Amino acid sequence: MKILIVGATGTLGSAIVNELKPRHHVITAGRSGGDARVDLKDVDSVRRLYDAIGPVDAVIAAAGSVHFGPLGDTTSAQFAGGLADKLLGQVNLVLEGQHRLNAGGSFTLTSGIIGDAPFRDGTNAATVNGALAGFVRNAAVELPRGLRINLVSPTVLEASLDAYGALFRGHPATPASRAALAYSRSAEGAETGQVFRVGY
Ligand SMILES: NC(=O)c1ccc[n+]([C@@H]2O[C@H](COP(=O)([O-])OP(=O)(O)OC[C@H]3O[C@@H](n4cnc5c(N)ncnc54)[C@H](OP(=O)(O)O)[C@@H]3O)[C@@H](O)[C@H]2O)c1
């Protein structure tokens, strides 16, 4: 399969590349690294990416930032930033990709544990992750030509504990390589409309 992985240089994305590259034609993309450049927040940039790489069989998104901070201090601009980046960025990949993927292809988006459980400072992340779950559940029945879509929701990755560990006290971390298997299951399997929770 020809597989586009956006966010491929990141902690999660690089593990997904390691999982899929041995048996597929993987095209990596990000804002500053990879085979192709894209900023998911910019729909024109997403269009240019699809134009440049041509039809693909699977699209995987492992990118997206949200705002972490106490709800009481959160501004509307900070909240909107998380929606524009992690939610609408991944949605852009699907809206622009639905007419361009090969028939029977798949999208795999990324959410996370925040929202399935409440976390201090996590309301923006919980909102985005919940919206992604709703988007995927409904898009699965609307996508044309046998296209599939799933969501991977990992707990904190072991490799990210230095950065985020304090947020996730009491929650076991998972290896990025284990999370990567869920992207393989989505892209190489037959399921659609599913949320694959990893490590919790
Ligand atoms: N790490 C964890 O513990 C964990 C747990 C659960 C869920 N997640 C979710 O997994 C996703 C990836 O997390 P991560 O920790 O792997 O992040 P990361 O290490 O910061 O990597 C992010 C990747 O996405 C790319 N990227 C960022 N913004 C982009 C944009 N607007 N357009 C295109 N590419 C963009 C980055 O490359 P450039 O900077 O070059 O663009 C990089 O390749 C996030 O949605 C995160 O919420 C992470």
Side-chain angles (χ1 to χ4, degrees):
M1 280 194 287
K2 187 172 163 188
I3 302 179
L4 168 67
I5 302 179
V6 181
T9 60
T11 309
L12 182 56
S14 52
I16 301 168
V17 172
N18 288 342
E19 173 61 35
L20 294 175
K21 200 162 184 170
R23 54 187 179 277
H24 297 288
H25 173 196
V26 167
I27 300 167
T28 59
R31 285 170 308 186
S32 58
D35 303 321
R37 298 286 180 279
V38 66
D39 182 349
L40 292 184
K41 294 197 299 293
D42 175 358
V43 72
D44 292 330
S45 162
V46 173
R47 257 181 230 131
R48 284 196 297 275
L49 170 69
Y50 279 123
D51 287 345
I53 66 174
V56 294
D57 301 295
V59 173
I60 290 171
S65 308
V66 292
H67 173 70
F68 284 106
L71 186 64
D73 299 341
T74 301
T75 66
S76 178
Q78 286 170 327
F79 205 90
L83 302 186
D85 195 307
K86 184 167 175 176
L87 173 59
L88 295 180
Q90 296 191 83
V91 166
N92 281 340
L93 261 184
V94 177
L95 295 181
E96 292 302 317
Q98 62 183 328
H99 308 297
R100 300 163 183 258
L101 260 66
N102 291 325
S106 70
F107 296 98
T108 310
L109 309 186
T110 299
S111 60
I113 186 175
I114 301 176
D116 273 343
F119 285 80
R120 226 169 257 124
D121 297 342
T123 300
N124 189 237
T127 304
V128 166
N129 290 340
L132 284 165
F135 177 79
V136 164
R137 189 185 308 118
N138 212 90
V141 301
E142 289 205 76
L143 283 171
R145 301 181 294 111
L147 297 178
R148 300 180 298 106
I149 184 166
N150 295 297
L151 186 64
V152 177
S153 178
T155 186
V156 65
L157 303 178
E158 286 175 355
S160 299
L161 280 176
D162 283 351
Y164 303 128
L167 267 176
F168 293 93
R169 295 282 179 239
H171 292 267
T174 199
S177 58
R178 184 173 167 212
L181 291 176
Y183 296 83
S184 155
R185 175 175 169 180
S186 175
E188 300 181 284
E191 294 162 280
T192 192
Q194 302 302 304
V195 179
F196 300 131
R197 293 177 177 81
V198 183
Y200 68 98

